[in-house]
Amino acid sequence: MGTRLKSIAFPYEKTNDELIKLVKSWFFNPLFKNEIIGYSQIGIERRGNTVVVYNFPVFKILDNPACWENILDESGIIFDWFIVLLCITSMDNYGYALYEKNNNIKTAYDYFDNDAPIFIGEMLDIEKPYFNAQHYFIHIDDDEESNKIYTISEKESDSYREFLDLENGEQVEYRSMVECLMMELSMQYLNVNIAWDLFDYDFSIKIDNSKYVPLEEKHVKKNKKNLFSWFKNINLFK
């Protein structure tokens, strides 16, 4: 199955009831009007003043990071930091974003249909080793690192895998760069890689989307139910 992580995380000092109200206001924001129907539940976990929200529609944030700045401002809270984490291994979708004082500092994502990773904003300290790394290439039919080459033509690009040789001696595939950085961002702010490890929480709650779908959506569902009930009551042999 792999990992399926769509999360936001941030510091929060108010009560759990106020936290739940805040997260609901975000989740049911018009920005996500056409997104939340596929989200049956979102989960909130809290450890002290650190909050992680799971199964959140983060694609909308990554695709429009400036819009999320406005939503954070509307909450009336200035967040020292706010991070977005995406890791869906089955679809090769990865991404992350960092906000400081409600301002988007960095957004990066690499989706399965991208030609290359997308990076927007200033360079973070955790990114520097990756951007300063030496690039090399290995043929897709060859696993021998000794056969690596440092330049290829555009015509050859489909036949080679691209790697990064980091200063610490670690080798990382270029298309895994965003995934690795997403995990490092999680470690930096949460002290755990929540893509693979459990967040040690002392408060947890799930919000059921079916109870909070927009009124017009409830109305449509109710009408469908009434129509079906009427059809069942027709006696075709009367």
Side-chain angles (χ1 to χ4, degrees):
M1 292 292 292
T3 297
R4 189 175 182 84
L5 174 74
K6 295 173 290 185
S7 292
I8 56 175
F10 51 92
Y12 193 76
E13 297 181 354
K14 296 183 180 181
T15 66
N16 290 334
D17 287 341
E18 290 173 297
L19 169 62
I20 295 168
K21 184 178 179 180
L22 174 66
V23 174
K24 285 180 182 178
S25 73
W26 288 342
F27 187 58
F28 300 105
N29 187 283
L31 176 68
F32 302 126
K33 182 176 181 181
N34 298 320
E35 304 291 322
I36 65 173
I37 303 304
Y39 289 73
S40 60
Q41 281 187 336
I42 57 173
I44 302 174
E45 293 181 353
R46 181 176 189 173
R47 181 183 64 220
N49 289 335
T50 301
V51 176
V52 178
V53 181
Y54 295 91
N55 203 30
F56 201 81
V58 300
F59 283 101
K60 279 288 187 178
I61 305 177
L62 295 173
D63 292 342
N64 193 351
C67 185
W68 192 252
E69 291 180 339
N70 298 331
I71 294 175
L72 291 178
D73 286 341
E74 288 170 2
S75 69
I77 303 171
I78 303 299
F79 293 90
D80 289 338
W81 58 268
F82 185 105
I83 58 174
V84 180
L85 304 171
L86 170 67
C87 179
I88 305 179
T89 56
S90 61
M91 298 180 65
D92 286 332
N93 286 337
Y94 308 100
Y96 59 90
L98 170 64
Y99 293 78
E100 293 180 354
K101 305 296 183 182
N102 295 7
N103 296 312
N104 181 238
I105 303 299
K106 189 59 179 263
T107 298
Y109 54 87
D110 191 4
Y111 303 153
F112 73 96
D113 55 352
N114 282 13
D115 292 330
I118 305 297
F119 295 91
I120 304 168
E122 65 185 56
M123 186 181 298
L124 304 179
D125 288 341
I126 61 172
E127 296 174 332
K128 291 178 181 178
Y130 293 83
F131 281 96
N132 295 333
Q134 172 74 60
H135 291 238
Y136 66 89
F137 304 86
I138 296 179
H139 196 277
I140 57 176
D141 296 326
D142 190 352
D143 291 330
E144 292 295 329
E145 188 180 338
S146 59
N147 295 330
K148 62 187 179 184
I149 59 176
Y150 293 93
T151 57
I152 59 172
S153 66
E154 185 176 344
K155 185 178 179 180
E156 296 174 303
S157 61
D158 290 339
S159 300
Y160 284 83
R161 295 164 61 198
E162 186 174 1
F163 290 83
L164 302 175
D165 191 358
L166 304 184
E167 293 178 353
N168 63 3
E170 184 181 357
Q171 280 76 41
V172 175
E173 190 162 2
Y174 177 62
R175 292 307 294 265
S176 298
M177 182 176 175
V178 172
E179 179 186 8
C180 293
L181 284 166
M182 178 275 306
M183 295 178 182
E184 290 199 31
L185 194 67
S186 177
M187 288 295 300
Q188 178 177 339
Y189 284 91
L190 305 177
N191 201 32
V192 64
N193 171 18
I194 62 169
W196 296 106
D197 299 315
L198 296 176
F199 181 67
D200 186 17
Y201 59 86
D202 45 44
F203 170 79
S204 175
I205 190 171
K206 288 183 170 58
I207 298 175
D208 185 354
N209 180 22
S210 65
K211 297 179 181 178
Y212 302 99
V213 293
L215 291 177
E216 61 268 24
E217 180 69 17
K218 286 185 178 181
H219 182 67
V220 169
K221 288 180 178 178
K222 183 178 180 181
N223 285 346
K224 286 182 178 179
K225 182 178 179 181
N226 290 343
L227 178 63
F228 182 66
S229 299
W230 172 82
F231 181 76
K232 285 197 306 179
N233 291 330
I234 295 177
N235 188 342
L236 297 178
F237 303 98
K238 188 174 179 179

